[in-house]
Amino acid sequence: MRRRVVVTGLGCVTPVGNDVASTWQALLDGKSGGAAITRFDASAHRVKFACEAKGFDPSAYMDRKEVKRSDLYTQFAVAGAVQAMRDAGLESGGYDPLRTGVIVGSGIGGIGTFETQHNVLRDSGPNRISAFFVPMFIGDIAAGVVSMRFGAKGPNFATQSACATSAHAIGTAFRHIQYGDADVMIAGGSEAAVSPMAMGGFANMQALSERHDSPETASRPFDITRDGFVLGEGSGIVILEELGHAKARGTRIYGELVGYGLTGDAYHLTGQPENHEGLQRSMRAAIADAGLKLDEVQYVNAHGTSTPMNDANEIRAIRTVFGEHAAALNVSSTKSATGHMLGAAGAVETIFCLMAITDGVIPPTINLTSQDPECDLNCTPLKPVTREVTAALSNSSGFGGHNASLAVRRLVD
């Protein structure tokens, strides 16, 4: 018998809030993180706006020396992990370090550090490159730093699967607890890719919205006028615990993680097969793993990137999987508010599913004013919907054809 796994702590940094409470309220209030880029001079760039994290202070979570020696993506990860461990009542202990692990991934890693140090190389030569360059930019270092912060000596590594990264991190951590490798896992993802090279690369492949007249409404999943995603940043971290371990502590439980599906498209570097059959299989696998009936799911947090191809494809995939029940679902894309947080997206959106279960509210797809007829499900436009949610599904897909779906439900004894 596989062990049951529950979620006891949540933490995040997003373009609309620097913790879960402020982010969740901003979602329900319909606030957007889209605005002109402030981190660098974007005047020569094709796309000059993004969803940046605003007012984030890493010194609230790390000392000055640690901040100086870490990339922004690691700072976001540590912030999310500290929040989540605090929320779970584990910040000061209450866990066995040998039975506690960390899986925190990043789709791109420390690209800001890479760009800065490349400029040093170009301008001053190789002897001026920072001795901390490599441990600052590599994609696994956030997981290592978080493990050191909490003395977690169990399974410790990073996942990297583009925009499915943190969904894979949570799903893999889930398996480690189910199979007895750990009792507690700190899992999720972090991203800080609002940088000159990343913005230029995404823009030149025509993946980004170019709605410069209204950055705050540029991310518009399922809308017939959508023209690309808006790059976001931040982190999402959850604390997973074996059910008995959590109950013995008497801690709050947000919900149970019950299903994990993961597939590959084997199709195209950045595109998707028709009706996204890979995502169909991922959803079916997560639902079957959870032992859920289709009509037990009320909410799907869609990958919903606001690109012409993804959104219609994903809606068709959801309709195919859920059949007649699809019409009774609430679907929404919270990327409409946060932008696309890449490797952090899956974890943040899983947090939103858990908050929907906890509060009985479906977060909306903001900016959805003219719904594409091809996106013909209830995509929860503009306003949150009060609804009892006992089970929800979060979808993630990434360049390279990676798909992951996570199923969460209200804890049932």
Side-chain angles (χ1 to χ4, degrees), residues 294-347:
L294 293 174
D295 61 6
E296 291 181 296
V297 178
Q298 293 83 31
Y299 174 48
V300 176
N301 187 294
H303 187 56
T305 56
S306 185
T307 59
M309 176 177 59
N310 176 88
D311 295 3
N313 244 355
E314 184 173 11
I315 290 296
R316 287 192 291 269
I318 293 170
R319 179 175 287 285
T320 300
V321 168
F322 283 91
E324 292 183 359
H325 181 61
L329 290 170
N330 274 93
V331 177
S332 72
S333 173
T334 46
K335 289 182 178 72
S336 57
T338 66
H340 194 343
M341 295 172 65
L342 305 181

Side-chain angles (χ1 to χ4, degrees), residues 2-10 84 87-88 90 170 173-178 182-187 237-259 350 354 357 407-413:
R2 292 185 295 183
R3 304 193 308 166
R4 295 173 68 184
V5 181
V6 294
V7 184
T8 57
L10 309 175
D87 188 37
L90 293 172
I170 293 172
F174 170 55
R175 292 286 190 245
H176 279 298
I177 296 177
Q178 281 188 317
D183 298 321
V184 178
M185 292 293 294
I186 304 166
I237 305 289
V238 300
I239 307 303
L240 305 181
E241 287 189 60
E242 187 273 326
L243 176 60
H245 188 279
K247 283 189 169 182
R249 297 195 303 115
T251 192
R252 173 181 55 190
I253 293 173
Y254 285 98
E256 185 174 4
L257 181 54
V258 288
T350 299
L354 290 158
I357 289 170
V408 293
R409 70 175 303 161
R410 183 179 300 162
L411 180 63
V412 178
D413 291 329

Side-chain angles (χ1 to χ4, degrees), residues 52-73:
E52 296 175 313
K54 302 165 184 67
F56 172 69
D57 180 9
S59 67
Y61 304 97
M62 310 168 75
D63 65 34
R64 185 171 62 180
K65 184 180 291 187
E66 288 175 314
V67 171
K68 187 176 180 180
R69 294 177 176 177
S70 62
D71 186 85
L72 182 58
Y73 103 92

Side-chain angles (χ1 to χ4, degrees), residues 73-263:
Y73 103 92
T74 298
Q75 296 169 17
F76 286 150
V78 171
V82 169
Q83 291 175 27
M85 288 291 274
R86 185 177 298 156
D87 188 37
L90 293 172
E91 185 182 16
S92 301
Y95 55 92
D96 178 355
L98 299 179
R99 301 283 300 165
T100 301
V102 180
I103 306 178
V104 175
S106 180
I108 294 179
I111 190 169
T113 293
F114 196 101
E115 292 181 32
T116 297
Q117 292 303 310
H118 181 265
N119 289 339
V120 171
L121 170 65
R122 182 191 59 201
D123 297 340
S124 304
N127 292 335
R128 301 298 296 174
I129 295 171
S130 170
F132 293 98
F133 165 56
V134 172
M136 284 176 69
F137 95 89
I138 53 179
D140 69 308
I141 207 67
V145 170
V146 169
S147 73
M148 288 181 270
R149 176 61 173 266
F150 297 105
K153 297 183 178 182
N156 178 222
F157 58 95
T159 51
Q160 187 175 54
S161 49
C163 306
T165 290
S166 55
H168 281 134
I170 293 172
T172 304
F174 170 55
R175 292 286 190 245
H176 279 298
I177 296 177
Q178 281 188 317
Y179 296 145
D181 299 325
D183 298 321
V184 178
M185 292 293 294
I186 304 166
S190 185
E191 206 77 84
V194 181
S195 74
M197 282 191 69
M199 285 296 303
F202 281 121
N204 289 346
M205 67 184 296
Q206 300 182 355
L208 299 181
S209 171
E210 298 187 21
R211 194 178 293 274
H212 285 93
D213 59 335
S214 182
E216 68 278 3
T217 67
S219 183
R220 45 181 59 213
F222 314 122
D223 196 278
I224 198 166
T225 63
R226 66 191 184 278
D227 68 328
F229 71 80
V230 179
L231 189 61
E233 64 179 5
S235 66
I237 305 289
V238 300
I239 307 303
L240 305 181
E241 287 189 60
E242 187 273 326
L243 176 60
H245 188 279
K247 283 189 169 182
R249 297 195 303 115
T251 192
R252 173 181 55 190
I253 293 173
Y254 285 98
E256 185 174 4
L257 181 54
V258 288
Y260 176 38
L262 62 166
T263 65

